[in-house]
Amino acid sequence: MSSGRPLVSYVVPVYREEGNLDLLHERLSAALEQVDVDAELIFVNDGSTDDSLARLVALSERDERVVVVDLARNVGHQIALTAGIDRASGDAVVIMDADLQDPPEVSIDLIREWQDGWDVVYAQRRTRKDGLFKRATASLFYRLLGTLSEVEIPRDTGDFRLIDRAVVEQLRQYGERSRFLRGMISDVGFRQKAVLFDRDARHVGESGYPLRAMIRFAVDGVTGFSSKPLELISRVGLAMSVLALTGMLYAVGTRIFFPDRVVEGWTFIVVAVFLVGGLQLLLMGIIGTYLGRVYDEVKGRPLYGVQQVYRSGREELALPTPLERRRGERYGSSTDAGAADGPSR
Ligand code: UDP
Ligand code: MG
């Protein structure tokens, strides 16, 4: 692996995928012939109850690029991905599903774009072959996320993407427990690029995302990247207060100008109801605002990421480490002797 070629780590979460693994490995190996990189294939076994682990271990016997991370129990797709990314040592990491819905050949296009200098290359679905229900719910979800989210999360993209080492390092600072990786990667920033592809149907086996998990995932996505639902309380509170004020004026006005139309005690009750209702929502809005802040603080996301530092017209961050040196050729300009040999200043 010390060939001086860049190392690309594939991270593949595996949950009951026994029928897909051999074909996946075969197609991926064939595809990787087409690019000049070394690869590390990290399969994260997410507590599969079928024969997946044995198949993976067998693969690792045949192919020294294969690393199998066997998790202690089923923790779900997003955390399984995190476990894999945490172990990846590559200059870039490709995240891919094990069920061949993400064609391995497309990952080569992702790598090519990375070699052209992009830090995040996400695969965006031009078409998908899922059932009507999945397509409808997914489309609804992306629309909802699009309007609510505070960072722009690209539509019709799953987790299938390539991220540069710099992005991996930044991502590691995201300590949140409800993980919505595609949102986190959007939040990181850097140079992002889309590659269009046609998403295949699952090769064999069943989706590990039952409706219940899909809903939880959608909620994670929305609540992790938006405090708009909390802000909604304030807005509704304000609207209700205005309404309540009008109601109170009406009640008091009726009492004063048309006293004989009013039943004894009516005014007091109506005013009290409006007052308490309006006040309650308004105050809840205040709590909501603070809660939103607390939530932001608790997430403890990094405040910023530095893409590059320039000094005397030179890219400073692409300098000494061996890792950076291997990446050197990506930017073309920084392959000159000064940059490649490190401390020659
Ligand atoms: N997966 C996982 N843990 C789970 C569920 C799924 O690691 O609890 C993996 C699964 O093996 C696949 C990827 O996550 O590689 C996507 O899952 P799936 O294909 O079931 O989701 P769908 O494509 O139906 O949304
Ligand atoms: Mg799938």
Side-chain angles (χ1 to χ4, degrees):
M1 293 233 173
S2 54
S3 59
R5 301 200 294 179
L7 177 67
V8 176
S9 303
Y10 279 75
V11 170
V12 184
V14 176
Y15 178 62
R16 298 195 302 191
E17 304 279 9
E18 57 182 4
N20 296 321
L21 295 170
D22 286 323
L23 182 62
L24 170 68
H25 179 260
E26 198 178 299
R27 272 176 63 183
L28 187 54
S29 299
L32 278 166
E33 302 278 311
Q34 301 166 34
V35 274
D36 193 27
V37 298
D38 286 328
E40 169 187 56
L41 313 178
I42 302 178
F43 291 93
V44 182
N45 180 39
D46 184 16
S48 298
T49 46
D50 64 358
D51 218 19
S52 294
L53 179 64
R55 302 278 175 100
L56 289 174
V57 173
L59 279 181
S60 78
E61 276 166 20
R62 281 195 277 130
D63 182 347
E64 59 167 16
R65 298 172 301 178
V66 173
V67 180
V68 183
V69 178
D70 184 29
L71 297 183
R73 66 172 174 90
N74 178 260
V75 293
H77 180 212
Q78 299 288 303
I79 300 179
L81 282 178
T82 307
I85 296 170
D86 282 345
R87 263 161 197 78
S89 55
D91 302 304
V93 172
V94 173
I95 302 170
M96 207 168 84
D97 282 357
D99 58 3
L100 290 158
Q101 284 199 285
D102 303 333
E105 298 73 23
V106 174
S107 72
I108 304 307
D109 299 336
L110 305 184
I111 293 175
R112 294 223 167 94
E113 296 292 345
W114 170 62
Q115 287 174 320
D116 278 348
W118 296 93
D119 299 306
V120 174
V121 190
Y122 53 88
Q124 191 162 33
R125 292 183 285 261
R126 185 164 31 205
T127 60
R128 65 191 294 170
K129 292 205 185 79
D130 289 303
L132 187 67
F133 179 71
K134 181 105 185 181
R135 287 208 310 267
T137 49
S139 151
L140 189 73
F141 169 61
Y142 283 111
R143 211 167 304 160
L144 187 71
L145 194 63
T147 34
L148 287 182
S149 168
E150 278 134 33
V151 295
E152 192 170 327
I153 300 171
R155 253 169 168 253
D156 296 330
T157 50
D159 287 307
F160 185 23
R161 60 189 62 209
L162 175 147
I163 55 181
D164 182 79
R165 183 88 230 158
V167 177
V168 173
E169 294 304 329
Q170 188 72 7
L171 209 55
R172 285 195 179 150
Q173 297 185 46
Y174 284 64
E176 56 215 74
R177 301 187 63 86
S178 316
R179 297 182 86 76
F180 185 68
L181 274 168
R182 59 195 79 160
M184 288 154 63
I185 293 172
S186 293
D187 195 63
V188 163
F190 288 87
R191 287 165 283 227
Q192 310 221 0
K193 164 106 199 236
V195 164
L196 289 177
F197 81 113
D198 301 299
R199 186 160 158 103
D200 289 333
R202 165 177 271 280
H203 178 55
V204 295
E206 276 168 31
S207 168
Y209 263 104
L211 185 62
R212 180 169 38 84
M214 258 160 58
I215 292 173
R216 196 182 327 128
F217 183 62
V219 171
D220 277 348
V222 171
T223 55
F225 290 89
S226 171
S227 23
K228 287 205 179 118
L230 280 178
E231 288 162 20
L232 195 69
I233 304 177
S234 293
R235 292 231 190 99
V236 173
L238 208 65
M240 283 300 283
S241 299
V242 171
L243 219 67
L245 200 69
T246 340
M248 281 191 285
L249 288 177
Y250 169 72
V252 173
T254 320
R255 176 77 183 78
I256 293 171
F257 298 111
F258 310 97
D260 45 325
R261 275 209 221 154
V262 173
V263 181
E264 197 63 31
W266 177 79
T267 316
F268 176 76
I269 292 179
V270 168
V271 168
V273 166
F274 279 133
L275 194 71
V276 170
L279 213 60
Q280 227 163 25
L281 268 173
L282 212 60
L283 295 185
M284 253 164 71
I286 297 180
I287 296 183
T289 308
Y290 279 97
L291 193 63
R293 303 259 161 142
V294 170
Y295 184 42
D296 261 356
E297 298 294 337
V298 166
K299 274 187 288 192
R301 288 186 185 157
L303 294 176
Y304 56 85
V306 175
Q307 187 159 285
Q308 187 54 268
V309 175
Y310 295 89
R311 210 187 280 270
S312 312
R314 275 175 173 279
E315 297 182 346
E316 202 170 63
L317 293 187
L319 286 176
T321 72
L323 203 75
E324 299 287 355
R325 209 176 309 143
R326 267 195 281 157
R327 275 175 47 186
E329 57 206 69
R330 282 177 48 205
Y331 301 111
S333 63
S334 56
T335 45
D336 58 49
D341 293 330
S344 60
R345 279 162 285 169

